[in-house]
Amino acid sequence: MKRKMKASTVVKGVVCAVLLLVALFPIYWLVAMAIRPTSEMTGHISVIPASLTMEHFRQLFTAKGFGKAIVNSLQTTLVSTALSLMIGLCAAYIIARSRFRLRVKKPLTYWILLVRVLPPVAFTIPLYGMFSKLGVLYTKIPVVLACILINIPLIIWFMISFFQDLPEDIEESAQIDGATEWQLFRKIVLPLVAPGIAAIAMLSFMYAWNEYTYSIIFVQSPSNYTVPLALAVLNTEDNLTNFGLVAAGGVISVIPITLFVIFAQNYLISGLSSGAVKE
């Protein structure tokens, strides 16, 4: 019996190790291509680089102006994520609480879901016409507004369940003590749903950081290129064979998301798993 249990444990460990290796190998290969000299990328390419170089990263910032793209992405991502959270959290709380009586609450909820279900490209034509009339096509504003449009429905639908799971007795007690609606929401409700906010903030941040469809349509000035656009420009006819340059840009592009997940992993785990077990 013990031998069978040990054999089963060994088999499970081997399977997990193989799956982990398969999952992590693309990341390893991306990093290996970024620090591998261009001379090693012709013919047979070894799994382990024979020599290391940081030339691709240096060229990325000195010759390609990748630093400006990172700043643009940080600006659009942080602004859109912050505004989306402000609007989405308030809307989700109002929809989740029965004391806020709105006749259009139910149809509004389905309308919000419809916005999220439709593919983003469905909104490009009306948004393009609107942004063109406003004269903001050569700025970063269209990307920010487009990301807000996509993220708000996700935040609302994700956070409604968190607000509904909170007992209303806590809020009623705070109201008896004289707390205003804003104080109740900001000082009592939001801290209790912090894991959910962290989880949805990560998802919103990831979408805004990796957003490409709206960027390539609305951003018409190279000075406003975001990281996905800058990476796409690297893969042109002139630099098609310079895989090291593209790989270096890919490595840099995953750093913000990686740091965000590392510092917020405790909240993310509890937030993403919330609701999996019901009493």
Side-chain angles (χ1 to χ4, degrees):
M1 186 68 179
K2 291 183 178 180
R3 290 183 178 179
K4 290 183 178 180
M5 293 180 61
K6 290 182 179 180
S8 176
T9 303
V10 171
V11 171
K12 290 180 180 179
V14 172
V15 172
C16 291
V18 172
L19 293 176
L20 183 63
L21 180 63
V22 172
L24 294 180
F25 183 78
I27 300 176
Y28 163 76
W29 193 250
L30 180 69
V31 177
M33 294 288 286
I35 60 178
R36 186 193 305 265
T38 305
S39 58
E40 294 187 22
M41 299 183 191
T42 57
H44 176 73
I45 303 177
S46 60
V47 177
I48 301 176
S51 58
L52 305 179
T53 181
M54 299 298 291
E55 177 62 24
H56 300 305
F57 292 94
R58 187 195 65 80
Q59 186 178 358
L60 202 63
F61 286 95
T62 57
K64 301 300 179 180
F66 202 72
K68 179 62 175 176
I70 295 176
V71 174
N72 292 336
S73 283
L74 286 175
Q75 290 175 345
T76 57
T77 301
L78 293 176
V79 172
S80 64
T81 301
L83 292 177
S84 298
L85 287 173
M86 290 173 58
I87 300 173
L89 290 174
C90 294
Y93 182 68
I94 292 174
I95 294 174
R97 285 293 176 256
S98 58
R99 67 175 180 273
F100 297 104
R101 298 180 180 179
L102 297 175
R103 294 182 179 180
V104 295
K105 182 180 292 188
K106 189 172 183 179
L108 178 63
T109 306
Y110 289 109
W111 181 260
I112 293 171
L113 178 62
L114 179 63
V115 175
R116 184 62 189 180
V117 169
L118 290 174
V121 71
F123 303 103
T124 53
I125 294 178
L127 287 177
Y128 187 91
M130 181 175 64
F131 294 147
S132 178
K133 290 183 179 180
L134 293 175
V136 295
L137 286 178
Y138 290 92
T139 67
K140 295 184 282 289
I141 296 177
V143 179
V144 173
L145 296 179
C147 290
I148 292 174
L149 171 68
I150 300 300
N151 280 332
I152 284 180
L154 176 64
I155 294 172
I156 292 176
W157 272 90
F158 189 89
M159 293 303 302
I160 281 178
S161 61
F162 280 88
F163 290 130
Q164 289 177 339
D165 289 341
L166 290 179
E168 295 191 31
D169 296 341
I170 300 176
E171 301 171 39
E172 293 175 358
S173 299
Q175 287 179 327
I176 293 175
D177 292 336
T180 63
E181 200 68 57
W182 173 244
Q183 290 175 336
L184 178 66
F185 177 68
R186 182 171 58 91
K187 295 183 178 181
I188 297 177
V189 175
L190 290 185
L192 293 176
V193 296
I197 296 176
I200 196 59
M202 183 203 68
L203 297 177
S204 301
F205 186 94
M206 288 178 61
Y207 174 82
W209 179 265
N210 296 319
E211 208 295 311
Y212 178 76
T213 302
Y214 290 131
S215 298
I216 198 173
I217 295 174
F218 297 141
V219 178
Q220 301 181 4
S221 175
S223 61
N224 292 325
Y225 279 179
T226 56
V227 169
L229 273 181
L231 287 174
V233 171
L234 290 177
N235 197 22
T236 59
E237 185 177 353
D238 296 332
N239 295 321
L240 187 60
T241 56
N242 198 342
F243 297 107
L245 199 62
V246 178
V251 171
I252 296 173
S253 67
V254 301
I255 291 177
I257 299 296
T258 304
L259 293 177
F260 187 94
V261 172
I262 290 175
F263 289 110
Q265 58 182 338
N266 292 332
Y267 284 109
L268 296 176
I269 293 172
S270 58
L272 292 173
S273 62
S274 179
V277 179
K278 293 293 185 181
E279 295 182 358

